[in-house]
Amino acid sequence: MQQFTVLELLSKDISLTEVEIRGWVRTFRANRFIALNDGSTLKNIQCVVDFESLDEDVLKRITTGAAIHVTGNLVESQGKGQSLEIQVKTLEILGDSDPETYPIQPKKHSFEFLRENAHLRTRTNTFSAVMRLRSALSYAIHRYFNENGFYYMHAPIITGSDAEGAGEMFKVTSLDVNNLPKNGGNKVDYSKDFFGKETNLTVSGQLEAETYAMSLGKVYTFGPTFRAENSNTSRHLAEFWMIEPEVAFMDLAGNMDLAEDFLKYVIKYVLENNKEDLDFLDKRLQDEDKRKPQAERNDMTLLEKLKFVTDNHFKRVSYTEAVDILRNSKPNKKKKFKYLIDDWGSDLQSEHERFLVEKHFKCPVILFDYPADIKAFYMRLNDDGKTVRAMDILFPGIGEIVGGAQREERLDILKEKMAAINIPEEELWWYLDLRKYGTAVHSGFGLGFERLVMFVTGMNNIRDVIPYPRTPQNAEF
Ligand code: 4AD
Ligand code: MG
């Protein structure tokens, strides 16, 4: 007898009759039909028991959530809704459930409730589909870079520098926080700390990735990043995963081409390989839409939105052009935007980004050449002296999904920019060295992995696309 997953049973042309399978009971009806799920696929396998031949005690213990081991014959199903079923010969209870208290009952649960039960929520169709897609997307990402000559680089998670210069970092210390060593100025004496200096969790692996790009040529990171920004939104996490390619001898135009090609590849990958889960989530979103007022409904179904990205050229628009469009837009004139656009130089909010993508251009948009003042210090200054070679990619329903730039490769200008925002040269001496020894044009970007997973799955809250979300006031599990 051979052991199979449900996926194998249902997708293979199996001529074997006798099979063995383990999984969790989703439902048990009429003392006869078990819907068994093992996580390998959205689908359950129906196991048909002959209750007269089963021990009464065992029968009672077949409840939603229980883990069981079944052997039996795989046959064509007489019933509707499935092609194959198992006629059970033996059934063993591996782990009991408690029907009174088991949180995941076979009915609709709110996402809020499931967030509180995040340790069990992947036993639902929606969350198992989301997390299988998350896994498939990360595989597709590695595959893309592998096929395109990139090396995978592991940037450190504990760091002494603030890559984004935004000061939104979590401290890392082994000091006794109730009894901190102080120096003369009554400041904490970090020389006594584990690393002999102040350290934080990284906000980005970019600066280290740049050092590798300037030796290995084409590299990427894919790891956790941390931001202590207190933004309790549906698009921000305190711990999120970021993909950061960095390429030597590539300018901003090349960076845009790379990002567009990369995003299209990974989305096409799941369209081709994860159809079942995508179809399920597509239908989920359509059902959710039907319950909403007309004005709040999505213009496109999930699958249409994914094809919208793979089939459309990403429109490239400068920040200055975008601000002109926004300034003259209806929602700005009618004061419908929460943040009105008056002047050149202000940062764009997600309402503006979404207007550009969803209403104005109706295609993915790459905004570039942002004002230097609202972007990080490492971006290359343009000849106008006031904009930098930055780019943000905006997606429908999401807003910013990618942020990147051509990097400042000129030592003197980089030093000036660091001085202007008080980054000590000693802190980034190694970063400056790249500009001293064999400096060259180079570029890269960061893709927020959870924002990609949100886009691909149609989930509206970033807390629902990462196993255990970390957000302000919440680090359960
Ligand atoms: O635009 P950001 O801040 O860019 C960087 O960190 C650069 N160092 C990247 C690079 O050029 N190598 O962040 C990049 C992306 C954003 O576009 C967004 O998708 C995501 O990371 N992101 C977040 N995702 C979830 N929660 C947060 N708090 C996020 N902050 C940024
Ligand atoms: Mg950004």
Side-chain angles (χ1 to χ4, degrees), residues 164 227 353 375 378-379 391-392 400 402-404 446 451:
E164 291 300 298
R227 296 197 183 174
E353 296 171 343
K375 289 290 181 190
Y378 51 69
M379 298 187 178
M391 64 172 213
D392 277 7
E400 178 191 340
V402 161
R451 297 221 180 140

Side-chain angles (χ1 to χ4, degrees), residues 159-178:
T159 165
S161 52
D162 180 354
E164 291 300 298
E168 292 169 330
M169 306 186 84
F170 289 102
K171 283 207 167 18
V172 174
T173 180
S174 62
L175 292 174
D176 175 0
V177 290
N178 292 309

Side-chain angles (χ1 to χ4, degrees), residues 12 18 20 37 62 86 97 126 151 186 204 245 252 264 312 338 346 424 446 452 457 474:
K12 283 200 181 126
E18 274 209 281
E20 177 176 7
N37 190 284
I62 307 174
I86 298 174
S97 179
T126 300
Y151 296 110
N186 208 29
S204 155
L252 191 69
K264 285 179 168 169
N312 275 302
K338 193 161 157 226
S346 54
L452 174 70
T457 60
N474 172 42

Side-chain angles (χ1 to χ4, degrees), residues 27-85:
T27 57
F28 183 38
R29 61 186 173 82
N31 258 353
R32 199 166 156 72
F33 303 105
I34 303 170
L36 194 70
N37 190 284
D38 67 355
S40 60
T41 159
L42 195 66
K43 289 201 186 86
N44 303 321
I45 183 111
Q46 172 155 285
C47 304
V48 186
V49 297
D50 175 10
F51 61 89
E52 278 159 1
S53 69
L54 263 192
D55 192 77
E56 195 157 324
D57 174 58
V58 173
L59 203 62
K60 267 202 308 227
R61 291 162 65 200
I62 307 174
T63 62
T64 300
I68 63 171
H69 173 206
V70 163
T71 67
N73 287 333
L74 188 69
V75 298
E76 285 192 15
S77 178
Q78 309 298 314
K80 267 171 63 183
Q82 66 270 324
S83 53
L84 296 169
E85 64 185 25

